[in-house]
Amino acid sequence: MRSVLVFRLSGIAAARSIQSTLLALPVAPVHIGGPWFIQRDDQPMEGLPRAAASQTTYREEWTIAGVLCGAALAVIATLHLGTSAGTFASVLACVASGSLGGFFGGWLAGRLGAHIRRGKVARERARLAQGEMLLVASCAKDARDSVKLMINELGGVSVEEHSDVIPGFRWA
């Protein structure tokens, strides 16, 4: 499983030093993703990457729920509205409709979930003063504690931590 860590930073100088320190680590390409940065007004910062919606919203969780609900609803609709033409044809129709229903349900739920911000991140973003920013970093479970310690030593204050639903997989 991967963890997404969110930190509060005091300024752009701290952001640049943390970014260069994290990218200089030899294990960074494998174990650490990011860092990405968020300002209160959501404007891009010069030379600093912005956080994606999947890191600060419930997009992935809603996508997974949408796949399950869409597939279930499609299979139920196929069984209820369809006419049986034999066992093999019915099973094939249920598999096909479940796949399509899961695809469209996941797509729709992902779009809806991308509009729902994580509560702690949204509250911290609203409390940011001028010049402050949030840092979002993704890291492997075994590197989480060392990354947190390193960023805290460089001036970041830990705000939130959550685990990705699917290990090492990004929908966006």
Side-chain angles (χ1 to χ4, degrees):
M1 294 287 285
R2 295 186 63 83
S3 296
V4 177
L5 308 172
V6 181
F7 297 89
R8 175 180 236 166
L9 302 177
S10 60
I12 199 151
R16 291 193 193 284
S17 71
I18 290 172
Q19 181 184 26
S20 63
T21 304
L22 284 178
L23 294 177
L25 293 174
V27 296
V30 177
H31 293 290
I32 300 171
W36 302 278
F37 301 91
I38 304 169
Q39 280 187 321
R40 180 180 184 155
D41 57 1
D42 212 18
Q43 295 297 317
M45 292 153 283
E46 186 178 321
L48 298 175
R50 292 173 51 174
S54 60
Q55 297 152 345
T56 59
T57 64
Y58 290 103
R59 180 179 179 181
E60 291 181 351
E61 290 86 347
W62 276 57
T63 299
I64 291 172
V67 167
L68 297 175
C69 292
L73 287 174
V75 168
I76 290 170
T78 301
L79 292 175
H80 180 70
L81 300 174
T83 324
S84 179
T87 305
F88 181 73
S90 296
V91 169
L92 188 61
C94 286
V95 168
S97 67
S99 297
L100 283 174
F103 175 76
F104 287 116
W107 176 78
L108 179 62
R111 298 285 240 173
L112 294 173
H115 294 291
I116 302 172
R117 296 206 180 270
R118 292 189 179 273
K120 184 75 172 169
V121 174
R123 284 190 298 275
E124 286 297 323
R125 183 173 163 236
R127 281 191 255 172
L128 288 175
Q130 184 67 24
E132 289 186 328
M133 62 188 69
L134 295 178
L135 175 144
V136 179
S138 171
C139 62
K141 184 179 179 181
D142 55 343
R144 180 183 62 212
D145 293 331
S146 61
V147 169
K148 282 176 69 172
L149 181 64
M150 182 188 330
I151 293 175
N152 284 333
E153 287 175 355
L154 293 171
V157 179
S158 184
V159 173
E160 189 194 358
E161 172 181 336
H162 63 273
S163 295
D164 283 346
V165 178
I166 297 178
F169 186 78
R170 298 261 33 113
W171 289 95

